[in-house]
Amino acid sequence: MDLKTASAIRRLRLVSAPEAVSFLVLLLCSVLKRTTDFNAVPVMGAVHGVLFILYVIFWLDAWNRTKWSFGTAALYFVLSVLPTGGFFAERKLRRESENAVIAARAREEGTVNA
């Protein structure tokens, strides 16, 4: 795996947790809108929408670069639409990103030493 692929995984990982937090805050704002006079849904909806679109763009880029199977790509997408799924995606992606960086550096050192 090259460094561009590792970067794609890292970008997806870095947006997954904030996307999950924004989803949870949006759900909380929805409840508060219906139970109080507080209405932050328009603002939180926009924030969550931008983060979700970034997640989808980064997910597509990572899927394209990593050549994930359909099942793996589908798992990461399903995790993005579950309220706490982004936290699980972030954890899995962190491991995958670290492994990708290690593999890329090892390959670069192997070509330099060869």
Side-chain angles (χ1 to χ4, degrees), residues 12-75:
L12 180 59
R13 180 181 70 83
L14 291 176
V15 78
S16 64
E19 191 272 336
V21 169
S22 73
F23 193 5
L24 292 174
V25 173
L26 179 59
L27 291 175
L28 176 65
C29 288
S30 295
V31 170
L32 290 174
K33 176 184 175 183
R34 286 160 179 73
T35 58
T36 68
D37 291 333
F38 183 74
N39 184 10
V41 171
V43 173
M44 254 343 279
V47 170
H48 175 66
V50 167
L51 288 171
F52 182 74
I53 289 169
L54 283 174
Y55 185 96
V56 170
I57 290 169
F58 294 158
W59 169 75
L60 287 169
D61 184 41
W63 185 10
N64 182 45
R65 290 183 183 280
T66 60
K67 307 299 186 223
W68 285 328
S69 68
F70 179 78
T72 300
L75 171 68

